[in-house]
Amino acid sequence: MATAEHVIVAEDYDLAATLDSGQAFRWRLGNGLWSGVIGRRCVRLRQEGSSIFAETANSCEDWRWLEEYLQPGTDLAAVLETFPDDPPLHEAVRACRGLRLLRQEPWECLASFILSSTKQIVQIRQIVARLCERFGEPIDGPPGGTGEFSFPTAARIAAASEAELRDCKMGFRAPYLLGTARRVAEGGIDLAGLRGLPLEAAREELMRLPGVGRKIADCALLFGCGFDEAFPIDVWVLKALRQLYFAKRRADKKRLERFAATHFGPHAGYAQQYLFHYIRTKIR
DNA sequence: CTCCAGGCGCCTT
DNA sequence: AAGGCGCATGGA
C-alpha cells in the first residue's frame, strides 16, 4: 500500500492537548501516535518539538488539507495578545500553552455536536465511531488495521431510519440528527455559506435546525466554520465562568452569554477552549 | 444504588 | 422571559 509522510512546522503548538480537548471526536492515541480520519484520509500524527510528523495510508503530495485542519500557521501569541488581561485567563493559558482550535469540516462538526448533548466525551467518541462504521464509507487504513471509515454524508444519514440511528446508541438524539441531515441534504441550509454571514445571522440559521440550540450552534460555528469569536457555553464553561469571574455574584446563563460576548474579544473562542480545558483538567 | 454528562424542545409560570 | 422536566445511554 502506498503511504506518504510529511512534516509540518508548528511553533507553540500542543498537538496532544488539541486533539484531545473535546473539539473533535475521531482521534485515538496508540503507541505514541495519534490516529484519526480527516475527510477520506486516515492519518497518523506525532509531535516532536515544533515538528508534527504526519503519515497517511494513501499516497499524497499536496498536504494543504492537513494544514487547513490543524491550522499550524495561526500565530498563537498574536491571538493570546488580544485576550483581556485578567488572572483567570492568564492561569488557564499558563496551564496549557499551545492548545489550539482545529478547523473541521462543517457537517461532521455539526453532526458530532448534535450527538454531544448530555454525553461525556468518551461516549461521544463511541457514538461517532459507530455512526461511521455503519454509515460511512470504507477508506484505506494502516496495514493490519481493523478498518477505517469516513464520516457519513448528510445524504447518507438522511436515507437512514431513526431506528438504524438509534442502533448507534445515540438515544433521543436520533430524530435530531435525522431531521438536520435531511435539511442539509435537501439544501435547506448552506453550511459552507455560513462563513460569509455575521456571527448572529449564522447562529440563527443553525438554530433553525432540529436539535441545534445556542450551544451546539456555537460549537459548529467555532470548530467548523471559523468563527473565532463564537463562545459556546456548556456545563463546564458555565462552571468556569461562575467560579473564576462571578464567584460572589449570582449569574444565570443569559447574563454569562452577554458577559462573554463582550469580555473576551475577537478570539473569544480560543479563550473558551482554554477555560474549558482548564476547568476540566486542573480543578475537578 | 445514585448522580451526571461539551443540551434541546416543550410546557408551565 | 424565565424556570422545570423528560429524553437514552453509560461512566464514575
Side-chain angles (χ1 to χ4, degrees), chain A residues 66-86:
Chain A
L66 184 56
E67 306 229 358
E68 167 74 8
Y69 184 88
L70 293 174
Q71 298 278 307
T74 296
D75 183 345
L76 185 61
V79 169
L80 301 180
E81 197 61 31
T82 68
F83 282 7
D85 188 16
D86 65 43

Side-chain angles (χ1 to χ4, degrees), chain A residues 101-162:
Chain A
L101 292 178
L102 300 168
R103 177 73 56 84
Q104 302 176 62
E105 196 282 314
W107 161 247
E108 174 172 344
C109 185
L110 173 62
S112 297
F113 276 97
I114 287 174
L115 300 176
S116 75
S117 67
T118 52
K119 277 294 177 193
Q120 298 181 128
I121 291 172
V122 282
Q123 296 176 341
I124 303 168
R125 288 198 191 102
Q126 290 169 3
I127 296 170
V128 169
R130 280 193 174 91
L131 187 72
C132 293
E133 286 167 21
R134 293 213 44 184
F135 301 105
E137 292 181 22
I139 57 177
D140 291 336
T146 55
E148 301 288 344
F149 298 85
S150 63
F151 192 90
T153 64
R156 180 63 191 91
I157 292 176
S161 69
E162 185 182 317

Side-chain angles (χ1 to χ4, degrees), chain A residues 46-72:
Chain A
R46 148 180 83 84
Q47 181 171 27
E48 281 181 26
S50 58
S51 296
I52 293 175
F53 296 88
E55 183 182 351
T56 59
N58 316 79
S59 60
C60 179
E61 291 180 6
D62 184 347
W63 291 82
R64 279 177 295 188
W65 57 275
L66 184 56
E67 306 229 358
E68 167 74 8
Y69 184 88
L70 293 174
Q71 298 278 307

Side-chain angles (χ1 to χ4, degrees), chain A residues 12-281:
Chain A
D12 212 1
Y13 201 116
D14 186 335
L15 181 69
T18 299
L19 297 182
D20 200 30
S21 63
Q23 51 181 316
F25 303 101
R26 300 205 66 190
W27 294 99
R28 290 184 292 105
L29 179 61
N31 300 325
L33 293 174
W34 287 96
S35 302
V37 176
I38 301 173
R40 300 184 57 80
R41 295 183 186 279
C42 187
V43 200
R44 291 186 169 189
L45 302 175
R46 148 180 83 84
Q47 181 171 27
E48 281 181 26
S50 58
S51 296
I52 293 175
F53 296 88
E55 183 182 351
T56 59
N58 316 79
S59 60
C60 179
E61 291 180 6
D62 184 347
W63 291 82
R64 279 177 295 188
W65 57 275
L66 184 56
E67 306 229 358
E68 167 74 8
Y69 184 88
L70 293 174
Q71 298 278 307
T74 296
D75 183 345
L76 185 61
V79 169
L80 301 180
E81 197 61 31
T82 68
F83 282 7
D85 188 16
D86 65 43
L89 215 40
H90 277 292
E91 183 62 20
V93 170
R94 193 196 58 74
C96 195
R97 175 95 191 196
L99 177 62
R100 301 292 193 118
L101 292 178
L102 300 168
R103 177 73 56 84
Q104 302 176 62
E105 196 282 314
W107 161 247
E108 174 172 344
C109 185
L110 173 62
S112 297
F113 276 97
I114 287 174
L115 300 176
S116 75
S117 67
T118 52
K119 277 294 177 193
Q120 298 181 128
I121 291 172
V122 282
Q123 296 176 341
I124 303 168
R125 288 198 191 102
Q126 290 169 3
I127 296 170
V128 169
R130 280 193 174 91
L131 187 72
C132 293
E133 286 167 21
R134 293 213 44 184
F135 301 105
E137 292 181 22
I139 57 177
D140 291 336
T146 55
E148 301 288 344
F149 298 85
S150 63
F151 192 90
T153 64
R156 180 63 191 91
I157 292 176
S161 69
E162 185 182 317
E164 287 178 307
L165 294 179
R166 282 183 187 265
D167 281 346
C168 299
K169 307 302 179 187
M170 65 182 71
F172 63 84
R173 303 156 194 83
Y176 296 151
L177 180 64
L178 183 56
T180 288
R182 286 178 174 163
R183 290 270 294 278
V184 171
E186 69 198 13
I189 182 169
D190 175 17
L191 294 181
L194 294 177
R195 288 184 69 167
L197 300 177
L199 173 67
E200 293 75 14
R203 181 190 290 136
E204 280 179 26
E205 282 292 307
L206 284 169
M207 288 178 66
R208 291 207 185 98
L209 300 167
V212 183
R214 167 75 179 243
K215 189 269 174 180
I216 289 174
D218 281 344
C219 285
L221 293 171
L222 179 62
F223 303 130
C225 300
F227 283 87
D228 263 22
E229 68 272 42
F231 192 96
I233 300 180
D234 73 318
V235 290
W236 291 103
V237 174
L238 190 65
K239 182 175 171 183
L241 292 176
R242 284 185 172 145
Q243 195 167 315
L244 303 174
Y245 290 92
F246 290 81
K248 303 196 171 177
R249 293 169 278 176
R250 70 170 187 81
D252 60 24
K253 200 165 175 178
K254 280 296 171 195
R255 172 85 184 86
L256 294 174
E257 282 171 355
R258 274 182 274 119
F259 169 75
T262 56
H263 183 70
F264 293 105
H267 302 285
Y270 274 88
Q272 177 274 160
Q273 199 62 12
Y274 276 94
L275 291 172
F276 177 74
H277 187 278
Y278 180 66
I279 200 77
R280 273 196 352 124
T281 59

